[in-house]
């Protein structure tokens, strides 16, 4: 089991990042790969979780240990797999997810792709009262309004759309927010954050 990988960010795409260490490139799935765009070519630490199935061995990576801890808790809920857990964490507001679980807010939880009423109820049953020790002081602010990438806007927008699809959102859902997104001049990461906020309304 890997605790973390320290290396250079060599590649970022909608589904994963590649971090190079010792001449080996590790493909790591993350909640929002484009949060690592600003670290391209730099040395960083990714906290990892290795998921093993009969047909798959995959690495999932996170910027904080607390984020990984919440991922593992979500993964333990019946009906939520790695992709669903990543989609929830990609929203960038774990405290809101925790609050929804504690307050039994099924309406909020069912807004995530792949989470129906049954799964939302299972999340509440399995996790309510069990997350304070996991993320006691975790208040991330991953949405940075400064440092907009000097990339071609259409390219950033297209990458964001691909990332949303990779997280499990349907074309219909994406179409609802795409017109508003195109009015903005943002980096890929910021497009994704804004889209997720609108999709969760």
């Amino acid at each position: 089991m890997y605790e973390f990988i320290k290396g250079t960010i060599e590649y970022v795409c909608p589904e994963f990042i590649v971090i190079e260490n010792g001449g080996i490139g590790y493909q790591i799935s993350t909640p929002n790969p484009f949060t690592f765009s600003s670290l391209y070519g730099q040395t960083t630490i990714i906290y990892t979780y290795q998921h093993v199935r009969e047909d798959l061995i995959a690495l999932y990576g996170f910027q904080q240990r607390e984020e990984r801890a919440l991922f593992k808790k979500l993964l333990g809920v019946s009906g939520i797999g790695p992709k669903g857990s990543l989609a929830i964490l990609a929203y960038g507001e774990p405290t809101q997810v925790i609050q929804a679980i504690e307050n039994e807010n099924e309406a909020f939880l069912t807004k995530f792709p792949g989470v129906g009423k049954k799964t939302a109820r299972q999340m509440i049953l399995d996790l309510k009262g069990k997350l304070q020790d996991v993320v006691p002081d975790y208040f991330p602010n991953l949405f940075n309004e400064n440092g907009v990438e000097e990339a071609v806007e259409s390219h950033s927008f297209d990458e964001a759309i691909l990332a949303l699809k990779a997280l499990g959102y349907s074309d219909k859902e994406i179409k609802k927010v795409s017109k508003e997104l195109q009015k903005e001049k943002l980096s890929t990461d910021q497009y994704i954050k804004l889209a997720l906020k609108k999709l969760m309304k």
Side-chain angles (χ1 to χ4, degrees), residues 25-76:
Y26 295 90
Q27 179 178 307
I28 302 176
S29 298
T30 71
N32 179 358
F34 291 103
T35 58
F36 293 91
S37 293
S38 62
L39 299 173
Y40 184 81
Q42 299 181 33
T43 298
T44 190
I45 291 177
I46 309 295
Y47 297 96
T48 56
Y49 173 77
Q50 187 175 7
H51 185 68
V52 180
R53 293 194 328 226
E54 288 184 5
D55 59 340
L56 176 71
I57 297 177
L59 277 177
Y60 297 90
F62 310 91
Q63 292 181 313
Q64 303 287 339
R65 283 191 172 95
E66 294 87 350
E67 195 179 15
R68 179 182 61 186
L70 183 54
F71 173 82
K72 289 166 71 175
K73 286 286 187 179
L74 290 169
L75 206 57

Side-chain angles (χ1 to χ4, degrees), residues 69-70 73-74 97-99 101-102 123 127-136:
L70 183 54
K73 286 286 187 179
L74 290 169
V97 176
I98 293 169
Q99 186 177 24
I101 292 170
E102 295 299 322
M123 287 174 67
L127 301 179
K128 185 177 179 180
K130 301 176 182 177
L131 294 173
Q132 290 181 342
D133 60 325
V134 176
V135 283

